[in-house]
Amino acid sequence: MADKEATVYIVDVGLSMGQKHNGRTQSDLDWAMEYVWDKITSTVATERKTATLGVIGLRTSGTANELGEEGSFEHISVFQEISQILLPDLKSLQQKINLSDTDEGDAISAVVVAIQMIAKYTKKLKYRRKIVLVTDARGSLDADGILEITKKIKQDAMELLIVGVDFDDPEYGFKEEDKDSEKTSNEGTLKALAEDCDGLFGTLAQAIEELGIPRLKTTRPVQTYKGQLTLGDPMQYDTALCIDVERYPRTTIRKPPSASQFVQRSDLSNGHASTQSSATVRGEGDGGESSAAMLNPNGLTSVRNARTYQIIDEEAPGGKRDVDRDDLAKGYEYGRTAVHISETDENVTKLETQAALEIIGFVPWSNYERYMNMSVSCVIIAQKSNDKAIMALSSVIHALFELESYGIARLVPKTDRPPVLVLLAPSIDLDYECLLDVQLPFAEDVRTYKFPPLDRVLTVSGKVLKEHRNLPTDVLSTAMGDYVDRMDLSTFGKDDEGNPTEYMPMEETFSPVLHRVNQAIRWRAVHPNEPVPPPYEVLMKFSKPPEELQAKAKRYLEKLVAAAEVKKVPPKLQGRKRNRDQVKPLSGLNVDELLGREKKAKISRENPIPEFKRMLDISEDPNAIQDAAKQMSNIIEAQIKDSFGDSAYGQAIEELSVLREELTELEEPCIYNDFMKALKGKLLAGELGGERREMWWEIRKNRLGLIEKGESAGKSPSSSVTEEEAKQFLSSK
């Protein structure tokens, strides 16, 4: 569980914040709010009830704080009490944070109000307390009592962060020219306050620049296994090794937030409150539509999903009948039938296991291939505060390291969970020692494929060729090697001392998708009608090679292009027949005329698919499409009729698939649909050599039904068949 947080933002809205300085096109207040909104929306996005914050306005037109009766606390207003902030609160803050008509108000007093708010809310409980002051320091400051303020901040372990508009910062390299004496004095006072409180003091330009650097989410470790690491059976042998260990995730994939489905709430809801998202609703109320509209100002409501189950019943209206889920039974596919296993007997399919981590063997480092990793990595450490276990696990880790070996273990994370095999690798660092584990494949998980060798060509006769058009020449290999060496990123970067270092260290390489989505969500929450700004530069930094590196490698790239004889592929030219693409050779010669090929008018049963495709390609008469489809249809029916059992069904399915694909591409779905309707009737009526319902089952399994209307793959805009009609055609028997 994350730590509880209480943060108060003090935003200067004085009249001077409406000015524009240093060539900026936006006012100082709008510029400062970029930083404040980013921080607040980041907190809102966590959806944590323990991440609370409040907002105070400095130099406001009025006064609204608990200490306002005292003169030094005038023109300070509490815009938001400390609480969990939700989207409706953001909308309310946007309306409150506006430029005031006065420069009266003391920033030091605003810090006192923030201290009082945090102390009242957190009491003596364990909280991370933080105050963020954003100001231009152009108003008056009252430094009386600053020592007591510093003492209180340190006593309550508060963190003070002061961010100033155009504050001088030598470390960042910014100094404002022609700064008036009052602003200079105020900056010095605020800087001394921050340093005395062990806080942070900086200029707003640096703070906004660092907004583009993603903030990594800190997660607390969650145990995936807690038990004993054993070597041998402790139930049978006293010499078996047993170590109390704990297992935690080491790496895992962090995914961007997923979108949920919402719908505009209808005003014709008859007074019923709409269902709200858990991210926007703070509690159940009895305010009906008014309370729902207040909590969800966009008028959106989450979508409820309902699932119904139907079975075929010829006596029911429409041929289907709704059934309850409880009336359904589970079944497993076995061939073309379903095998029913009742819930009472389903335990026979489960393997009874006990939680355990058992070492079953060892392998040398050289015998393990990295491609066998099947999961993210986890870390195994000894049980905390168990000195005996720490010493024992350390011995195992050092033994594996010294012998250059890995351990193979059987892991059952929890009782009745399926067992997995894991690889145990030793990891020794200055600060800690541990075992790293990754899941290993079983025999059924391995897929073995054979590919031709890359360094030679084997002919049909078994002859080995070292020189071939598909093999790189020595010149090409040398050119490629030189180009790769010039594009090396491992030493292209520079460290603080100017020495070569890695250009893309992992700690500086962030997920563009993850942080771009988060950036868009935060921006849209505050600016619902403005376009989303471009991605931060840090996210796009590694999206393309460095220009300096490309310039150095350009000469070697040109040599590589020349050695590889790279040529531009000519664009595809549209033929005359139904927009089918015809690729014309570079020579411009007619290959068919050179080879003396004849235009066949008849498709043979021995080689139907190539001849059917060729007939469609070479024919210039649109009527030939229908003739070719007719011949192909007759061949398919003849093969089904002459098939001994299901021996020819596979070939018929392949031919049917090609017929469907070609006619879809030629925008002639009606020819295929008419044939399929006739074929279905003949199959079910037994007109193609007897009982052929098995062939109809194959057609349904391969989804070779009617071509429906649509623009996506497998559909045609020229078809008149709807999606429901296509489903009905396949589902009916």
Side-chain angles (χ1 to χ4, degrees), residues 515-537:
H515 297 291
R516 175 58 174 167
V517 172
N518 287 331
Q519 176 195 7
I521 294 174
R522 293 196 304 269
W523 178 269
R524 183 61 75 222
V526 182
H527 309 89
N529 299 319
E530 297 182 16
V532 178
Y536 293 124
E537 182 180 353

mmCIF file with all atom_site columns, all heavy atoms in Angstrom, residues 515-537:
data_model
loop_
_atom_site.group_PDB
_atom_site.id
_atom_site.type_symbol
_atom_site.label_atom_id
_atom_site.label_alt_id
_atom_site.label_comp_id
_atom_site.label_asym_id
_atom_site.label_entity_id
_atom_site.label_seq_id
_atom_site.pdbx_PDB_ins_code
_atom_site.Cartn_x
_atom_site.Cartn_y
_atom_site.Cartn_z
_atom_site.occupancy
_atom_site.B_iso_or_equiv
_atom_site.pdbx_formal_charge
_atom_site.auth_seq_id
_atom_site.auth_comp_id
_atom_site.auth_asym_id
_atom_site.auth_atom_id
_atom_site.pdbx_PDB_model_num
ATOM 1   N N   . HIS A 1 515 ? 3.276   6.906  -21.755 1.00 0.00 ? 515 HIS A N   1
ATOM 2   C CA  . HIS A 1 515 ? 3.306   8.276  -21.242 1.00 0.00 ? 515 HIS A CA  1
ATOM 3   C C   . HIS A 1 515 ? 2.582   9.247  -22.161 1.00 0.00 ? 515 HIS A C   1
ATOM 4   O O   . HIS A 1 515 ? 2.107   10.292 -21.700 1.00 0.00 ? 515 HIS A O   1
ATOM 5   C CB  . HIS A 1 515 ? 4.760   8.705  -21.037 1.00 0.00 ? 515 HIS A CB  1
ATOM 6   C CG  . HIS A 1 515 ? 5.483   7.886  -20.006 1.00 0.00 ? 515 HIS A CG  1
ATOM 7   N ND1 . HIS A 1 515 ? 5.188   7.950  -18.658 1.00 0.00 ? 515 HIS A ND1 1
ATOM 8   C CD2 . HIS A 1 515 ? 6.460   6.948  -20.130 1.00 0.00 ? 515 HIS A CD2 1
ATOM 9   C CE1 . HIS A 1 515 ? 5.969   7.115  -17.988 1.00 0.00 ? 515 HIS A CE1 1
ATOM 10  N NE2 . HIS A 1 515 ? 6.738   6.490  -18.851 1.00 0.00 ? 515 HIS A NE2 1
ATOM 11  N N   . ARG A 1 516 ? 2.470   8.937  -23.446 1.00 0.00 ? 516 ARG A N   1
ATOM 12  C CA  . ARG A 1 516 ? 1.691   9.793  -24.339 1.00 0.00 ? 516 ARG A CA  1
ATOM 13  C C   . ARG A 1 516 ? 0.215   9.712  -23.988 1.00 0.00 ? 516 ARG A C   1
ATOM 14  O O   . ARG A 1 516 ? -0.483  10.730 -23.968 1.00 0.00 ? 516 ARG A O   1
ATOM 15  C CB  . ARG A 1 516 ? 1.933   9.372  -25.790 1.00 0.00 ? 516 ARG A CB  1
ATOM 16  C CG  . ARG A 1 516 ? 1.071   10.115 -26.805 1.00 0.00 ? 516 ARG A CG  1
ATOM 17  C CD  . ARG A 1 516 ? 1.272   11.621 -26.729 1.00 0.00 ? 516 ARG A CD  1
ATOM 18  N NE  . ARG A 1 516 ? 0.561   12.321 -27.793 1.00 0.00 ? 516 ARG A NE  1
ATOM 19  C CZ  . ARG A 1 516 ? 0.361   13.627 -27.816 1.00 0.00 ? 516 ARG A CZ  1
ATOM 20  N NH1 . ARG A 1 516 ? 0.817   14.391 -26.834 1.00 0.00 ? 516 ARG A NH1 1
ATOM 21  N NH2 . ARG A 1 516 ? -0.278  14.188 -28.826 1.00 0.00 ? 516 ARG A NH2 1
ATOM 22  N N   . VAL A 1 517 ? -0.277  8.505  -23.709 1.00 0.00 ? 517 VAL A N   1
ATOM 23  C CA  . VAL A 1 517 ? -1.682  8.355  -23.309 1.00 0.00 ? 517 VAL A CA  1
ATOM 24  C C   . VAL A 1 517 ? -1.941  9.100  -22.005 1.00 0.00 ? 517 VAL A C   1
ATOM 25  O O   . VAL A 1 517 ? -2.947  9.806  -21.856 1.00 0.00 ? 517 VAL A O   1
ATOM 26  C CB  . VAL A 1 517 ? -2.044  6.867  -23.184 1.00 0.00 ? 517 VAL A CB  1
ATOM 27  C CG1 . VAL A 1 517 ? -3.428  6.706  -22.576 1.00 0.00 ? 517 VAL A CG1 1
ATOM 28  C CG2 . VAL A 1 517 ? -1.999  6.183  -24.542 1.00 0.00 ? 517 VAL A CG2 1
ATOM 29  N N   . ASN A 1 518 ? -1.035  8.960  -21.034 1.00 0.00 ? 518 ASN A N   1
ATOM 30  C CA  . ASN A 1 518 ? -1.209  9.664  -19.761 1.00 0.00 ? 518 ASN A CA  1
ATOM 31  C C   . ASN A 1 518 ? -1.183  11.174 -19.957 1.00 0.00 ? 518 ASN A C   1
ATOM 32  O O   . ASN A 1 518 ? -1.948  11.911 -19.324 1.00 0.00 ? 518 ASN A O   1
ATOM 33  C CB  . ASN A 1 518 ? -0.109  9.242  -18.782 1.00 0.00 ? 518 ASN A CB  1
ATOM 34  C CG  . ASN A 1 518 ? -0.311  7.832  -18.257 1.00 0.00 ? 518 ASN A CG  1
ATOM 35  O OD1 . ASN A 1 518 ? -1.439  7.353  -18.167 1.00 0.00 ? 518 ASN A OD1 1
ATOM 36  N ND2 . ASN A 1 518 ? 0.768   7.160  -17.914 1.00 0.00 ? 518 ASN A ND2 1
ATOM 37  N N   . GLN A 1 519 ? -0.291  11.644 -20.832 1.00 0.00 ? 519 GLN A N   1
ATOM 38  C CA  . GLN A 1 519 ? -0.226  13.078 -21.106 1.00 0.00 ? 519 GLN A CA  1
ATOM 39  C C   . GLN A 1 519 ? -1.532  13.577 -21.705 1.00 0.00 ? 519 GLN A C   1
ATOM 40  O O   . GLN A 1 519 ? -2.056  14.632 -21.307 1.00 0.00 ? 519 GLN A O   1
ATOM 41  C CB  . GLN A 1 519 ? 0.936   13.371 -22.059 1.00 0.00 ? 519 GLN A CB  1
ATOM 42  C CG  . GLN A 1 519 ? 1.017   14.838 -22.483 1.00 0.00 ? 519 GLN A CG  1
ATOM 43  C CD  . GLN A 1 519 ? 1.924   15.041 -23.681 1.00 0.00 ? 519 GLN A CD  1
ATOM 44  O OE1 . GLN A 1 519 ? 2.395   14.081 -24.290 1.00 0.00 ? 519 GLN A OE1 1
ATOM 45  N NE2 . GLN A 1 519 ? 2.172   16.293 -24.039 1.00 0.00 ? 519 GLN A NE2 1
ATOM 46  N N   . ALA A 1 520 ? -2.083  12.817 -22.663 1.00 0.00 ? 520 ALA A N   1
ATOM 47  C CA  . ALA A 1 520 ? -3.335  13.230 -23.306 1.00 0.00 ? 520 ALA A CA  1
ATOM 48  C C   . ALA A 1 520 ? -4.491  13.241 -22.310 1.00 0.00 ? 520 ALA A C   1
ATOM 49  O O   . ALA A 1 520 ? -5.336  14.141 -22.340 1.00 0.00 ? 520 ALA A O   1
ATOM 50  C CB  . ALA A 1 520 ? -3.646  12.296 -24.473 1.00 0.00 ? 520 ALA A CB  1
ATOM 51  N N   . ILE A 1 521 ? -4.537  12.254 -21.425 1.00 0.00 ? 521 ILE A N   1
ATOM 52  C CA  . ILE A 1 521 ? -5.626  12.193 -20.442 1.00 0.00 ? 521 ILE A CA  1
ATOM 53  C C   . ILE A 1 521 ? -5.555  13.380 -19.490 1.00 0.00 ? 521 ILE A C   1
ATOM 54  O O   . ILE A 1 521 ? -6.568  14.032 -19.196 1.00 0.00 ? 521 ILE A O   1
ATOM 55  C CB  . ILE A 1 521 ? -5.566  10.862 -19.668 1.00 0.00 ? 521 ILE A CB  1
ATOM 56  C CG1 . ILE A 1 521 ? -5.861  9.686  -20.605 1.00 0.00 ? 521 ILE A CG1 1
ATOM 57  C CG2 . ILE A 1 521 ? -6.560  10.869 -18.512 1.00 0.00 ? 521 ILE A CG2 1
ATOM 58  C CD1 . ILE A 1 521 ? -5.683  8.335  -19.954 1.00 0.00 ? 521 ILE A CD1 1
ATOM 59  N N   . ARG A 1 522 ? -4.346  13.681 -18.998 1.00 0.00 ? 522 ARG A N   1
ATOM 60  C CA  . ARG A 1 522 ? -4.207  14.801 -18.060 1.00 0.00 ? 522 ARG A CA  1
ATOM 61  C C   . ARG A 1 522 ? -4.577  16.121 -18.727 1.00 0.00 ? 522 ARG A C   1
ATOM 62  O O   . ARG A 1 522 ? -5.238  16.974 -18.130 1.00 0.00 ? 522 ARG A O   1
ATOM 63  C CB  . ARG A 1 522 ? -2.767  14.863 -17.527 1.00 0.00 ? 522 ARG A CB  1
ATOM 64  C CG  . ARG A 1 522 ? -2.368  13.696 -16.655 1.00 0.00 ? 522 ARG A CG  1
ATOM 65  C CD  . ARG A 1 522 ? -1.105  14.016 -15.863 1.00 0.00 ? 522 ARG A CD  1
ATOM 66  N NE  . ARG A 1 522 ? -0.001  14.416 -16.712 1.00 0.00 ? 522 ARG A NE  1
ATOM 67  C CZ  . ARG A 1 522 ? 0.899   13.587 -17.225 1.00 0.00 ? 522 ARG A CZ  1
ATOM 68  N NH1 . ARG A 1 522 ? 0.802   12.283 -16.977 1.00 0.00 ? 522 ARG A NH1 1
ATOM 69  N NH2 . ARG A 1 522 ? 1.885   14.033 -17.975 1.00 0.00 ? 522 ARG A NH2 1
ATOM 70  N N   . TRP A 1 523 ? -4.148  16.291 -19.979 1.00 0.00 ? 523 TRP A N   1
ATOM 71  C CA  . TRP A 1 523 ? -4.455  17.549 -20.675 1.00 0.00 ? 523 TRP A CA  1
ATOM 72  C C   . TRP A 1 523 ? -5.950  17.676 -20.930 1.00 0.00 ? 523 TRP A C   1
ATOM 73  O O   . TRP A 1 523 ? -6.524  18.738 -20.722 1.00 0.00 ? 523 TRP A O   1
ATOM 74  C CB  . TRP A 1 523 ? -3.679  17.598 -21.983 1.00 0.00 ? 523 TRP A CB  1
ATOM 75  C CG  . TRP A 1 523 ? -3.972  18.834 -22.789 1.00 0.00 ? 523 TRP A CG  1
ATOM 76  C CD1 . TRP A 1 523 ? -4.934  18.987 -23.742 1.00 0.00 ? 523 TRP A CD1 1
ATOM 77  C CD2 . TRP A 1 523 ? -3.318  20.100 -22.673 1.00 0.00 ? 523 TRP A CD2 1
ATOM 78  N NE1 . TRP A 1 523 ? -4.916  20.261 -24.250 1.00 0.00 ? 523 TRP A NE1 1
ATOM 79  C CE2 . TRP A 1 523 ? -3.930  20.981 -23.613 1.00 0.00 ? 523 TRP A CE2 1
ATOM 80  C CE3 . TRP A 1 523 ? -2.267  20.582 -21.884 1.00 0.00 ? 523 TRP A CE3 1
ATOM 81  C CZ2 . TRP A 1 523 ? -3.519  22.290 -23.767 1.00 0.00 ? 523 TRP A CZ2 1
ATOM 82  C CZ3 . TRP A 1 523 ? -1.859  21.901 -22.043 1.00 0.00 ? 523 TRP A CZ3 1
ATOM 83  C CH2 . TRP A 1 523 ? -2.482  22.735 -22.968 1.00 0.00 ? 523 TRP A CH2 1
ATOM 84  N N   . ARG A 1 524 ? -6.582  16.605 -21.388 1.00 0.00 ? 524 ARG A N   1
ATOM 85  C CA  . ARG A 1 524 ? -7.994  16.666 -21.720 1.00 0.00 ? 524 ARG A CA  1
ATOM 86  C C   . ARG A 1 524 ? -8.854  16.883 -20.477 1.00 0.00 ? 524 ARG A C   1
ATOM 87  O O   . ARG A 1 524 ? -9.934  17.484 -20.559 1.00 0.00 ? 524 ARG A O   1
ATOM 88  C CB  . ARG A 1 524 ? -8.418  15.385 -22.441 1.00 0.00 ? 524 ARG A CB  1
ATOM 89  C CG  . ARG A 1 524 ? -9.856  15.367 -22.911 1.00 0.00 ? 524 ARG A CG  1
ATOM 90  C CD  . ARG A 1 524 ? -10.169 16.469 -23.921 1.00 0.00 ? 524 ARG A CD  1
ATOM 91  N NE  . ARG A 1 524 ? -9.617  16.175 -25.229 1.00 0.00 ? 524 ARG A NE  1
ATOM 92  C CZ  . ARG A 1 524 ? -9.017  17.067 -25.997 1.00 0.00 ? 524 ARG A CZ  1
ATOM 93  N NH1 . ARG A 1 524 ? -8.875  18.310 -25.594 1.00 0.00 ? 524 ARG A NH1 1
ATOM 94  N NH2 . ARG A 1 524 ? -8.545  16.733 -27.182 1.00 0.00 ? 524 ARG A NH2 1
ATOM 95  N N   . ALA A 1 525 ? -8.398  16.411 -19.318 1.00 0.00 ? 525 ALA A N   1
ATOM 96  C CA  . ALA A 1 525 ? -9.167  16.607 -18.087 1.00 0.00 ? 525 ALA A CA  1
ATOM 97  C C   . ALA A 1 525 ? -9.297  18.083 -17.748 1.00 0.00 ? 525 ALA A C   1
ATOM 98  O O   . ALA A 1 525 ? -10.319 18.517 -17.201 1.00 0.00 ? 525 ALA A O   1
ATOM 99  C CB  . ALA A 1 525 ? -8.503  15.857 -16.930 1.00 0.00 ? 525 ALA A CB  1
ATOM 100 N N   . VAL A 1 526 ? -8.272  18.879 -18.059 1.00 0.00 ? 526 VAL A N   1
ATOM 101 C CA  . VAL A 1 526 ? -8.286  20.306 -17.731 1.00 0.00 ? 526 VAL A CA  1
ATOM 102 C C   . VAL A 1 526 ? -8.700  21.152 -18.925 1.00 0.00 ? 526 VAL A C   1
ATOM 103 O O   . VAL A 1 526 ? -9.327  22.198 -18.769 1.00 0.00 ? 526 VAL A O   1
ATOM 104 C CB  . VAL A 1 526 ? -6.890  20.740 -17.227 1.00 0.00 ? 526 VAL A CB  1
ATOM 105 C CG1 . VAL A 1 526 ? -6.895  22.211 -16.845 1.00 0.00 ? 526 VAL A CG1 1
ATOM 106 C CG2 . VAL A 1 526 ? -6.469  19.893 -16.037 1.00 0.00 ? 526 VAL A CG2 1
ATOM 107 N N   . HIS A 1 527 ? -8.364  20.704 -20.144 1.00 0.00 ? 527 HIS A N   1
ATOM 108 C CA  . HIS A 1 527 ? -8.682  21.468 -21.350 1.00 0.00 ? 527 HIS A CA  1
ATOM 109 C C   . HIS A 1 527 ? -9.533  20.600 -22.283 1.00 0.00 ? 527 HIS A C   1
ATOM 110 O O   . HIS A 1 527 ? -9.017  20.027 -23.250 1.00 0.00 ? 527 HIS A O   1
ATOM 111 C CB  . HIS A 1 527 ? -7.407  21.905 -22.066 1.00 0.00 ? 527 HIS A CB  1
ATOM 112 C CG  . HIS A 1 527 ? -6.419  22.592 -21.174 1.00 0.00 ? 527 HIS A CG  1
ATOM 113 N ND1 . HIS A 1 527 ? -5.453  21.905 -20.464 1.00 0.00 ? 527 HIS A ND1 1
ATOM 114 C CD2 . HIS A 1 527 ? -6.261  23.903 -20.863 1.00 0.00 ? 527 HIS A CD2 1
ATOM 115 C CE1 . HIS A 1 527 ? -4.733  22.770 -19.772 1.00 0.00 ? 527 HIS A CE1 1
ATOM 116 N NE2 . HIS A 1 527 ? -5.200  23.987 -19.991 1.00 0.00 ? 527 HIS A NE2 1
ATOM 117 N N   . PRO A 1 528 ? -10.816 20.469 -22.005 1.00 0.00 ? 528 PRO A N   1
ATOM 118 C CA  . PRO A 1 528 ? -11.657 19.540 -22.780 1.00 0.00 ? 528 PRO A CA  1
ATOM 119 C C   . PRO A 1 528 ? -11.867 19.940 -24.233 1.00 0.00 ? 528 PRO A C   1
ATOM 120 O O   . PRO A 1 528 ? -12.208 19.090 -25.058 1.00 0.00 ? 528 PRO A O   1
ATOM 121 C CB  . PRO A 1 528 ? -12.980 19.546 -22.011 1.00 0.00 ? 528 PRO A CB  1
ATOM 122 C CG  . PRO A 1 528 ? -12.991 20.844 -21.268 1.00 0.00 ? 528 PRO A CG  1
ATOM 123 C CD  . PRO A 1 528 ? -11.567 21.142 -20.932 1.00 0.00 ? 528 PRO A CD  1
ATOM 124 N N   . ASN A 1 529 ? -11.666 21.210 -24.569 1.00 0.00 ? 529 ASN A N   1
ATOM 125 C CA  . ASN A 1 529 ? -11.964 21.669 -25.923 1.00 0.00 ? 529 ASN A CA  1
ATOM 126 C C   . ASN A 1 529 ? -10.733 22.083 -26.713 1.00 0.00 ? 529 ASN A C   1
ATOM 127 O O   . ASN A 1 529 ? -10.852 22.498 -27.865 1.00 0.00 ? 529 ASN A O   1
ATOM 128 C CB  . ASN A 1 529 ? -12.942 22.851 -25.866 1.00 0.00 ? 529 ASN A CB  1
ATOM 129 C CG  . ASN A 1 529 ? -14.265 22.473 -25.213 1.00 0.00 ? 529 ASN A CG  1
ATOM 130 O OD1 . ASN A 1 529 ? -14.787 21.391 -25.459 1.00 0.00 ? 529 ASN A OD1 1
ATOM 131 N ND2 . ASN A 1 529 ? -14.797 23.362 -24.383 1.00 0.00 ? 529 ASN A ND2 1
ATOM 132 N N   . GLU A 1 530 ? -9.543  21.989 -26.117 1.00 0.00 ? 530 GLU A N   1
ATOM 133 C CA  . GLU A 1 530 ? -8.328  22.409 -26.801 1.00 0.00 ? 530 GLU A CA  1
ATOM 134 C C   . GLU A 1 530 ? -7.600  21.193 -27.361 1.00 0.00 ? 530 GLU A C   1
ATOM 135 O O   . GLU A 1 530 ? -7.683  20.096 -26.807 1.00 0.00 ? 530 GLU A O   1
ATOM 136 C CB  . GLU A 1 530 ? -7.408  23.171 -25.841 1.00 0.00 ? 530 GLU A CB  1
ATOM 137 C CG  . GLU A 1 530 ? -8.017  24.463 -25.323 1.00 0.00 ? 530 GLU A CG  1
ATOM 138 C CD  . GLU A 1 530 ? -7.049  25.209 -24.422 1.00 0.00 ? 530 GLU A CD  1
ATOM 139 O OE1 . GLU A 1 530 ? -5.841  24.880 -24.460 1.00 0.00 ? 530 GLU A OE1 1
ATOM 140 O OE2 . GLU A 1 530 ? -7.496  26.094 -23.671 1.00 0.00 ? 530 GLU A OE2 1
ATOM 141 N N   . PRO A 1 531 ? -6.887  21.351 -28.469 1.00 0.00 ? 531 PRO A N   1
ATOM 142 C CA  . PRO A 1 531 ? -6.142  20.216 -29.037 1.00 0.00 ? 531 PRO A CA  1
ATOM 143 C C   . PRO A 1 531 ? -5.033  19.759 -28.094 1.00 0.00 ? 531 PRO A C   1
ATOM 144 O O   . PRO A 1 531 ? -4.426  20.571 -27.393 1.00 0.00 ? 531 PRO A O   1
ATOM 145 C CB  . PRO A 1 531 ? -5.582  20.783 -30.344 1.00 0.00 ? 531 PRO A CB  1
ATOM 146 C CG  . PRO A 1 531 ? -5.569  22.268 -30.144 1.00 0.00 ? 531 PRO A CG  1
ATOM 147 C CD  . PRO A 1 531 ? -6.736  22.587 -29.261 1.00 0.00 ? 531 PRO A CD  1
ATOM 148 N N   . VAL A 1 532 ? -4.767  18.468 -28.099 1.00 0.00 ? 532 VAL A N   1
ATOM 149 C CA  . VAL A 1 532 ? -3.733  17.909 -27.237 1.00 0.00 ? 532 VAL A CA  1
ATOM 150 C C   . VAL A 1 532 ? -2.370  18.326 -27.774 1.00 0.00 ? 532 VAL A C   1
ATOM 151 O O   . VAL A 1 532 ? -2.120  18.240 -28.981 1.00 0.00 ? 532 VAL A O   1
ATOM 152 C CB  . VAL A 1 532 ? -3.845  16.369 -27.185 1.00 0.00 ? 532 VAL A CB  1
ATOM 153 C CG1 . VAL A 1 532 ? -2.741  15.772 -26.330 1.00 0.00 ? 532 VAL A CG1 1
ATOM 154 C CG2 . VAL A 1 532 ? -5.208  15.957 -26.660 1.00 0.00 ? 532 VAL A CG2 1
ATOM 155 N N   . PRO A 1 533 ? -1.479  18.813 -26.934 1.00 0.00 ? 533 PRO A N   1
ATOM 156 C CA  . PRO A 1 533 ? -0.156  19.241 -27.415 1.00 0.00 ? 533 PRO A CA  1
ATOM 157 C C   . PRO A 1 533 ? 0.659   18.067 -27.924 1.00 0.00 ? 533 PRO A C   1
ATOM 158 O O   . PRO A 1 533 ? 0.346   16.906 -27.643 1.00 0.00 ? 533 PRO A O   1
ATOM 159 C CB  . PRO A 1 533 ? 0.473   19.862 -26.153 1.00 0.00 ? 533 PRO A CB  1
ATOM 160 C CG  . PRO A 1 533 ? -0.239  19.214 -25.010 1.00 0.00 ? 533 PRO A CG  1
ATOM 161 C CD  . PRO A 1 533 ? -1.635  18.981 -25.483 1.00 0.00 ? 533 PRO A CD  1
ATOM 162 N N   . PRO A 1 534 ? 1.712   18.338 -28.683 1.00 0.00 ? 534 PRO A N   1
ATOM 163 C CA  . PRO A 1 534 ? 2.547   17.238 -29.207 1.00 0.00 ? 534 PRO A CA  1
ATOM 164 C C   . PRO A 1 534 ? 3.241   16.488 -28.080 1.00 0.00 ? 534 PRO A C   1
ATOM 165 O O   . PRO A 1 534 ? 3.346   16.990 -26.955 1.00 0.00 ? 534 PRO A O   1
ATOM 166 C CB  . PRO A 1 534 ? 3.550   17.965 -30.113 1.00 0.00 ? 534 PRO A CB  1
ATOM 167 C CG  . PRO A 1 534 ? 3.578   19.375 -29.611 1.00 0.00 ? 534 PRO A CG  1
ATOM 168 C CD  . PRO A 1 534 ? 2.205   19.665 -29.106 1.00 0.00 ? 534 PRO A CD  1
ATOM 169 N N   . PRO A 1 535 ? 3.732   15.284 -28.354 1.00 0.00 ? 535 PRO A N   1
ATOM 170 C CA  . PRO A 1 535 ? 4.417   14.508 -27.307 1.00 0.00 ? 535 PRO A CA  1
ATOM 171 C C   . PRO A 1 535 ? 5.650   15.244 -26.803 1.00 0.00 ? 535 PRO A C   1
ATOM 172 O O   . PRO A 1 535 ? 6.264   16.043 -27.513 1.00 0.00 ? 535 PRO A O   1
ATOM 173 C CB  . PRO A 1 535 ? 4.798   13.204 -28.018 1.00 0.00 ? 535 PRO A CB  1
ATOM 174 C CG  . PRO A 1 535 ? 3.914   13.129 -29.218 1.00 0.00 ? 535 PRO A CG  1
ATOM 175 C CD  . PRO A 1 535 ? 3.638   14.538 -29.618 1.00 0.00 ? 535 PRO A CD  1
ATOM 176 N N   . TYR A 1 536 ? 6.014   14.958 -25.555 1.00 0.00 ? 536 TYR A N   1
ATOM 177 C CA  . TYR A 1 536 ? 7.217   15.554 -24.994 1.00 0.00 ? 536 TYR A CA  1
ATOM 178 C C   . TYR A 1 536 ? 8.447   15.098 -25.785 1.00 0.00 ? 536 TYR A C   1
ATOM 179 O O   . TYR A 1 536 ? 8.502   13.989 -26.312 1.00 0.00 ? 536 TYR A O   1
ATOM 180 C CB  . TYR A 1 536 ? 7.373   15.168 -23.534 1.00 0.00 ? 536 TYR A CB  1
ATOM 181 C CG  . TYR A 1 536 ? 6.312   15.748 -22.628 1.00 0.00 ? 536 TYR A CG  1
ATOM 182 C CD1 . TYR A 1 536 ? 5.528   14.934 -21.832 1.00 0.00 ? 536 TYR A CD1 1
ATOM 183 C CD2 . TYR A 1 536 ? 6.106   17.127 -22.552 1.00 0.00 ? 536 TYR A CD2 1
ATOM 184 C CE1 . TYR A 1 536 ? 4.554   15.457 -20.994 1.00 0.00 ? 536 TYR A CE1 1
ATOM 185 C CE2 . TYR A 1 536 ? 5.135   17.663 -21.722 1.00 0.00 ? 536 TYR A CE2 1
ATOM 186 C CZ  . TYR A 1 536 ? 4.362   16.826 -20.939 1.00 0.00 ? 536 TYR A CZ  1
ATOM 187 O OH  . TYR A 1 536 ? 3.412   17.345 -20.119 1.00 0.00 ? 536 TYR A OH  1
ATOM 188 N N   . GLU A 1 537 ? 9.436   15.970 -25.823 1.00 0.00 ? 537 GLU A N   1
ATOM 189 C CA  . GLU A 1 537 ? 10.643  15.678 -26.605 1.00 0.00 ? 537 GLU A CA  1
ATOM 190 C C   . GLU A 1 537 ? 11.352  14.433 -26.094 1.00 0.00 ? 537 GLU A C   1
ATOM 191 O O   . GLU A 1 537 ? 11.914  13.666 -26.875 1.00 0.00 ? 537 GLU A O   1
ATOM 192 C CB  . GLU A 1 537 ? 11.577  16.884 -26.551 1.00 0.00 ? 537 GLU A CB  1
ATOM 193 C CG  . GLU A 1 537 ? 12.844  16.702 -27.368 1.00 0.00 ? 537 GLU A CG  1
ATOM 194 C CD  . GLU A 1 537 ? 13.746  17.914 -27.306 1.00 0.00 ? 537 GLU A CD  1
ATOM 195 O OE1 . GLU A 1 537 ? 13.324  18.947 -26.723 1.00 0.00 ? 537 GLU A OE1 1
ATOM 196 O OE2 . GLU A 1 537 ? 14.876  17.833 -27.819 1.00 0.00 ? 537 GLU A OE2 1
#
